């Protein structure tokens, strides 16, 4: 990816800040205020955030303007900003993208596996109707209106909440008024992940050209969002 293209896709809330843990949010607010104070006092020179186990770091240095350098594994991006807050926000967005979001997804997979492996005792089955619904293919009703919706020229991706507390991401590719193709109908427990995938479908697939096999498209989109 070109040196600035990736940083151009990030914003102060993409990926969303609500994926921060409580401690991460406290750190974020503290460092943001600290950097602003240092700039106002004329003492700011540089700031580095390094995460060794994720092979990620970002560095902000000051000259006439503020230079942000992001390093993830063997890739490197740089961008110049007029304000320290803008450089910090994009650095943190890159941190959320490469470090926080993959960790949250990994933790979520562990929790979901633990829930799937948990046995439901007979007393719970007697008291709660939903405990008898063990069929993963059982019909789930979609709740309207949608939780999230994004649309391009040919791609429409919508995240609907469902009656069982999950969310379904539906992606439709429209080439002409007579030709529509459903690329995805997938359930998620995390609505933020589903929304990120929806937005990435529009970025990658909003074209009239042939897109290939649905599973391959999904793997490409999922990899772009989570790695």
């Amino acid at each position: 990816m070109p040196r600035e293209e990736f940083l151009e896709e990030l914003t102060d809330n993409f990926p969303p800040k609500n994926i921060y843990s409580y401690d991460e949010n406290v750190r974020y607010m503290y460092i943001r205020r600290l950097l602003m104070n240092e700039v106002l006092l004329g003492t700011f020179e540089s700031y580095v955030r390094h995460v060794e186990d994720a092979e990620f770091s970002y560095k902000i240095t000051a000259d006439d303007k503020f230079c942000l350098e992001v390093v993830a594994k063997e890739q490197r991006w740089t961008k110049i900003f007029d304000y320290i807050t803008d450089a910090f926000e994009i650095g943190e967005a890159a941190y959320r993208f490469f470090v926080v979001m993959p960790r949250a997804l990994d933790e979520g997979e562990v929790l979901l596996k633990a829930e799937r492996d948990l046995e439901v005792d007979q007393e719970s089955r007697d008291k709660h109707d939903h405990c008898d619904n063990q069929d993963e293919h059982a019909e789930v009703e979609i709740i309207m209106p949608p939780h999230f919706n994004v649309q391009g020229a040919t791609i429409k991706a919508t995240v609907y909440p469902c009656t069982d507390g999950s969310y379904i991401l539906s992606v439709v590719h429209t080439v002409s008024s007579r030709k529509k193709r459903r690329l995805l109908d997938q359930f998620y427990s995390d609505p933020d992940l589903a929304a990120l995938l929806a937005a990435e479908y529009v970025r990658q697939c909003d074209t009239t050209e042939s897109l290939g096999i649905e599973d391959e498209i999904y793997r490409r989109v999922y990899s772009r969002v989570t790695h």
Side-chain angles (χ1 to χ4, degrees):
M1 185 179 293
R3 287 169 64 95
E4 269 112 14
E5 183 177 331
F6 169 68
L7 298 184
E8 292 292 345
E9 294 181 4
L10 301 175
T11 70
D12 62 350
N13 204 32
F14 176 78
K17 293 192 186 79
N18 60 11
I19 64 175
Y20 276 145
S21 65
Y22 174 81
D23 290 342
E24 283 282 8
N25 194 58
V26 171
R27 175 202 59 81
Y28 161 81
M29 296 299 295
Y30 172 77
I31 296 299
R32 190 176 191 275
R33 287 194 298 268
L34 179 66
L35 297 184
M36 291 175 63
N37 289 338
E38 287 184 356
V39 170
L40 290 174
L41 294 172
T43 59
F44 176 80
E45 294 182 358
S46 66
Y47 171 73
V48 178
R49 177 146 184 81
H50 179 67
V51 185
E52 186 172 355
D53 61 349
E55 299 180 64
F56 171 85
S57 66
Y58 75 81
K59 181 178 182 180
I60 303 172
T61 53
D63 194 359
D64 293 335
K65 296 187 178 183
F66 299 94
C67 178
L68 169 66
E69 179 183 65
V70 174
V71 179
K73 293 182 170 47
E74 298 180 355
Q75 299 184 81
R76 184 184 304 268
W77 298 271
T78 59
K79 188 175 180 180
I80 304 298
F81 295 87
D82 291 325
Y83 303 102
I84 185 66
T85 50
D86 292 341
F88 176 70
E89 291 290 2
I90 300 305
E92 283 291 302
Y95 169 69
R96 293 194 296 274
F97 187 91
F98 285 110
V99 180
V100 182
M101 190 162 59
R103 282 179 180 172
L105 292 173
D106 289 343
E107 292 170 0
E109 287 297 322
V110 172
L111 291 173
L112 287 174
K113 183 180 185 305
E115 289 181 1
R116 286 194 296 267
D117 295 341
L118 184 65
E119 293 186 5
V120 180
D121 59 46
Q122 189 59 46
E123 183 180 359
S124 293
R125 288 183 183 276
D126 293 340
K127 291 183 178 180
H128 304 286
D129 292 338
H130 70 272
C131 292
D132 284 325
N133 184 12
Q134 299 296 313
D135 182 3
E136 64 178 2
H137 300 295
E139 184 177 351
V140 176
E141 184 180 352
I142 296 174
I143 304 172
M144 302 292 280
H147 171 78
F148 178 83
N149 182 65
V150 62
Q151 185 167 357
T154 64
I155 289 288
K156 182 177 181 181
T158 308
V159 179
Y160 295 99
C162 302
T163 51
D164 66 346
S166 66
Y167 295 80
I168 185 170
L169 169 57
S170 177
V171 182
V172 177
H173 184 215
T174 302
V175 178
S176 67
S177 59
R178 296 183 178 181
K179 187 175 180 181
K180 292 185 179 181
R181 178 187 176 192
R182 189 168 295 277
L183 299 181
L184 187 72
D185 276 317
Q186 180 81 21
F187 288 94
Y188 299 90
S189 61
D190 183 350
D192 292 328
L193 171 60
L196 290 173
L197 290 168
E200 190 60 30
Y201 261 98
V202 173
R203 290 190 185 90
Q204 290 197 31
C205 304
D206 193 22
T207 175
T208 57
E209 298 178 1
S210 176
L211 295 173
I213 301 171
E214 286 89 343
D215 288 346
E216 292 180 354
I217 298 170
Y218 179 72
R219 284 196 293 270
R220 187 172 69 244
V221 170
Y222 186 86
S223 176
R224 181 65 182 83
V225 167
T226 59
H227 293 85

